[in-house]
Amino acid sequence: NAGVTQTPKFRVLKTGQSMTLLCAQDMNHEYMYWYRQDPGMGLRLIHYSVGEGTTAKGEVPDGYNVSRLKKQNFLLGLESAAPSQTSVYFCASSPGQGAGNQPQHFGDGTRLSIL
Amino acid sequence: KNEVEQSPQNLTAQEGEFITINCSYSVGISALHWLQQHPGGGIVSLFMLSSGKKKHGRLIATINIQEKHSSLHITASHPRDSAVYICAVDGGATNKLIFGTGTLLAVQP
């Protein structure tokens, strides 16, 4: 089982460029999440999804968009990258509310640098 | 004030020592999670608990719901335990987590 796979693992962008981070899970999980991790701060939720076709804003959504067209995939887009978006991005998934409280399964992260 | 506070922020121990990391939270929760992150690595779930105590190998997690406090203990610490340990609380509705800033543990041989 691959679990949660993030693509790419590393990327360097110039200010103003756009890109999409892909998260794929093979556990048939309903819920998926995108976080960013910055030095000295806890992980912060960017956007999340509670099922195919649904998305919702988290704590720090500005500058990002997401889509969940297929249950197994959750895409995070940066339309016009800014240096403040330099971070490590983690995707996670969990079974969903019907399963009660469950641990989240995390991908290995994407290191993104904006120059 | 952060909703999830961890202490200490940094901890250095000698191999074999007993280690305690603390987590206090100020919001209502349905569960509390302890996670581990090795340097440059991914994040793995160690424990999820909503009451009492759980044990896995040399790791023990406890929670006191009334005091809104949890502890992670490592017995007979080993250099491979060196990592960042993260406390997170789950508010319940959509399993969204609120994270502490982590405790960086270094276990020296």
Side-chain angles (χ1 to χ4, degrees):
Chain A
N1 269 346
V4 178
T5 303
Q6 291 185 230
T7 309
K9 297 190 185 307
F10 304 93
R11 186 74 183 268
V12 178
L13 289 178
K14 294 181 179 178
T15 298
Q17 288 185 318
S18 63
M19 79 161 295
T20 300
L21 279 64
L22 171 63
C23 176
Q25 53 93 5
D26 61 2
M27 297 170 284
N28 200 35
H29 285 174
E30 289 292 335
Y31 292 0
M32 296 186 74
Y33 314 84
W34 274 108
Y35 299 98
R36 60 178 290 171
Q37 186 178 42
D38 300 296
M41 305 183 76
L43 285 104
R44 293 180 293 168
L45 182 65
I46 304 171
H47 286 281
Y48 65 100
S49 168
V50 297
E52 181 179 313
T54 75
T55 63
K57 294 180 180 179
E59 180 186 355
V60 288
D62 293 343
Y64 305 95
N65 57 75
V66 288
S67 64
R68 184 112 181 258
L69 299 179
K70 294 183 178 181
K71 185 177 184 179
Q72 64 267 33
N73 296 335
F74 195 28
L75 279 63
L76 178 70
L78 286 72
E79 290 187 347
S80 180
S84 61
Q85 294 177 304
T86 294
S87 188
V88 181
Y89 292 85
F90 285 95
C91 176
S93 70
S94 67
Q97 193 62 29
N101 288 111
Q102 294 288 330
Q104 291 187 11
H105 297 254
F106 287 81
D108 290 337
T110 295
R111 291 186 176 275
L112 183 60
S113 294
I114 316 295
L115 304 178
Chain B
K1 188 180 189 303
N2 292 334
E3 293 169 301
V4 180
E5 297 273 2
Q6 287 185 237
S7 63
Q9 289 187 321
N10 295 280
L11 181 58
T12 300
Q14 294 298 314
E15 183 173 357
E17 286 185 357
F18 180 84
I19 290 165
T20 296
I21 299 170
N22 296 299
C23 176
S24 296
Y25 55 92
S26 59
V27 295
I29 70 169
S30 59
L32 183 141
H33 301 254
W34 282 103
L35 307 160
Q36 181 192 56
Q37 183 177 25
H38 280 102
I43 299 168
V44 295
S45 178
L46 297 174
F47 294 103
M48 184 187 68
L49 64 166
S50 54
S51 65
K53 175 181 176 179
K54 287 190 175 181
K55 184 176 188 292
H56 184 257
R58 295 180 293 104
L59 302 179
I60 303 167
T62 65
I63 188 169
N64 185 317
I65 296 294
Q66 286 73 30
E67 294 187 2
K68 295 188 174 180
H69 182 268
S70 175
S71 293
L72 176 68
H73 305 286
I74 304 175
T75 62
S77 59
H78 189 276
R80 65 176 175 266
D81 297 325
S82 298
V84 175
Y85 291 85
I86 302 168
C87 172
V89 298
D90 184 342
T94 53
N95 295 139
K96 289 188 294 181
L97 299 181
I98 303 172
F99 294 82
T101 54
T103 294
L104 177 60
L105 171 65
V107 181
Q108 296 178 342

